[in-house]
Amino acid sequence: MFLADKAVQLAYDPGISPNEGGLPGLAVLKEVMGSINLFGIIAVVGALAVSAAVWAWGHFSGGHQAEANGKKGVLVSAGAALLLGAGNGIVAFFSTLGTQVH
């Protein structure tokens, strides 16, 4: 009966948790992900500037479709900036939340 209890416990808790020193190259991977995040933020700044220009051009030229697309672009750029900036916090929050599931 003791072996069956151990198997049931193993099925619920395999005892696996993130190990920061487990594989080589973790520091390089962190650098690469940070660089990708930086490029994403730079791209969002460019998209925001273009979208704001389209919004203004559409507004002052009477192009309602261009104005709507500019507004949409500004909102999407702002949302992307929010997600890129909060990426670490979002992942940490849900990772911590996931460890509390039993």
Side-chain angles (χ1 to χ4, degrees):
M1 194 61 147
F2 179 74
L3 185 59
D5 290 337
K6 277 294 201 189
V8 168
Q9 182 183 6
L10 182 62
Y12 291 117
D13 183 16
I16 298 171
S17 62
N19 184 4
E20 190 165 331
L23 291 174
L26 187 61
V28 173
L29 183 60
K30 286 181 181 180
E31 287 287 325
V32 168
M33 298 314 303
S35 297
I36 290 171
N37 196 3
L38 175 64
F39 281 120
I41 290 172
I42 291 170
V44 165
V45 169
L48 183 67
V50 169
S51 296
V54 168
W55 185 358
W57 176 74
H59 177 75
F60 289 113
S61 70
H64 300 292
Q65 187 69 29
E67 184 179 1
N69 286 337
K71 286 179 187 179
K72 222 182 316 181
V74 167
L75 288 175
V76 168
S77 298
L82 177 70
L83 290 174
L84 285 169
N88 284 336
I90 292 169
V91 171
F93 172 76
F94 284 107
S95 177
T96 303
L97 192 63
T99 60
Q100 297 173 4
V101 174
H102 293 288

